[in-house]
């Protein structure tokens, strides 16, 4: 498998990424973000709120958060439900039980305001990515 990936990488370097280059500063920043050991509660909150724009169960959220690279809930899904409960107490999300006995969560107005505020605060991070593509 590794050999196939190496061949793919070489092939992509010759075609797709031929014109793309990174400064040393940009490489360090990328590696720093990739290897970020901590998953802050604020970052998790934003991810959860984004995912709850449409109604989801805790089980669905766990899978979607894993697919986004969050490992905090692996082997400890109870942590997610604790966080969901806190978000409910802060009135950022709401939950309801469906007739089949499944609990669903969804963002509410205060949560949407939180997302908009966070988007404004993190807009400088998007500039870094745009700058990356321009270099």
């Amino acid at each position: 498998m590794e050999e196939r990936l190496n061949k793919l990488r070489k092939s992509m370097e010759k075609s797709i990424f031929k014109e793309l280059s990174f400064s040393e500063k940009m490489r360090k920043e990328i590696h720093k973000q990739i290897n970020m050991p901590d998953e802050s509660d604020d970052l998790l909150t934003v991810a959860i709120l984004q995912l709850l724009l449409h109604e989801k169960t805790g089980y669905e959220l766990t899978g979607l958060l894993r697919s986004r690279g969050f490992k905090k809930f692996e082997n400890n899904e109870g942590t997610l439900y604790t966080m969901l409960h806190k978000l409910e107490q802060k009135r950022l999300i709401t939950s309801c039980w469906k007739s089949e006995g499944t609990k669903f969560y969804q963002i509410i107005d205060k949560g949407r305001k939180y997302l908009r505020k966070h988007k404004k605060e993190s807009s400088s991070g998007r500039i870094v990515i745009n700058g990356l593509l321009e270099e």
Side-chain angles (χ1 to χ4, degrees):
M1 179 75 160
E2 190 173 316
E3 183 181 334
R4 288 187 356 207
L5 291 175
N6 284 333
K7 287 181 181 179
L8 176 63
R9 181 178 179 193
K10 287 178 183 178
S11 172
M12 290 174 74
E13 286 173 353
K14 292 177 184 176
S15 58
I16 296 173
F17 298 118
K18 184 178 179 182
E19 297 175 17
L20 187 63
S21 63
F22 300 98
S23 67
E24 191 58 36
K25 180 182 175 185
M26 192 55 66
R27 285 179 193 265
K28 286 180 182 178
E29 183 62 30
I30 291 169
H31 284 286
K32 181 178 141 187
Q33 290 181 13
I34 289 172
N35 296 320
M36 216 169 42
D38 242 356
E39 296 171 352
S40 73
D41 282 346
D42 191 43
L43 190 60
L44 281 168
T45 299
V46 169
I48 290 170
L49 293 176
Q50 287 173 341
L51 291 169
L52 290 179
L53 289 171
H54 300 286
E55 193 176 66
K56 291 185 179 45
T57 64
Y59 179 78
E60 290 173 308
L61 274 174
T62 302
L64 292 168
L65 288 167
R66 279 190 192 132
S67 70
R68 285 187 173 197
F70 292 99
K71 298 176 183 176
K72 184 174 185 169
F73 307 116
E74 285 184 21
N75 303 321
N76 190 7
E77 287 82 7
T79 309
L80 173 63
Y81 292 100
T82 302
M83 191 161 191
L84 288 171
H85 184 69
K86 288 178 184 177
L87 293 176
E88 256 188 298
Q89 287 179 330
K90 292 179 181 179
R91 298 198 167 117
L92 297 174
I93 65 171
T94 188
S95 66
C96 65
W97 289 92
K98 298 292 178 165
S99 59
E100 66 272 5
T102 307
K103 192 172 187 178
F104 285 84
Y105 300 89
Q106 189 167 12
I107 192 171
I108 54 179
D109 289 337
K110 189 175 175 184
R112 285 185 180 88
K113 288 177 187 174
Y114 181 93
L115 277 179
R116 282 192 295 272
K117 179 184 172 197
H118 188 274
K119 185 177 180 180
K120 289 177 185 175
E121 290 174 359
S122 67
S123 63
S124 60
R126 290 192 174 86
I127 293 168
V128 169
I129 292 171
N130 291 338
L132 196 166
L133 297 174
E134 292 168 2
E135 284 188 12

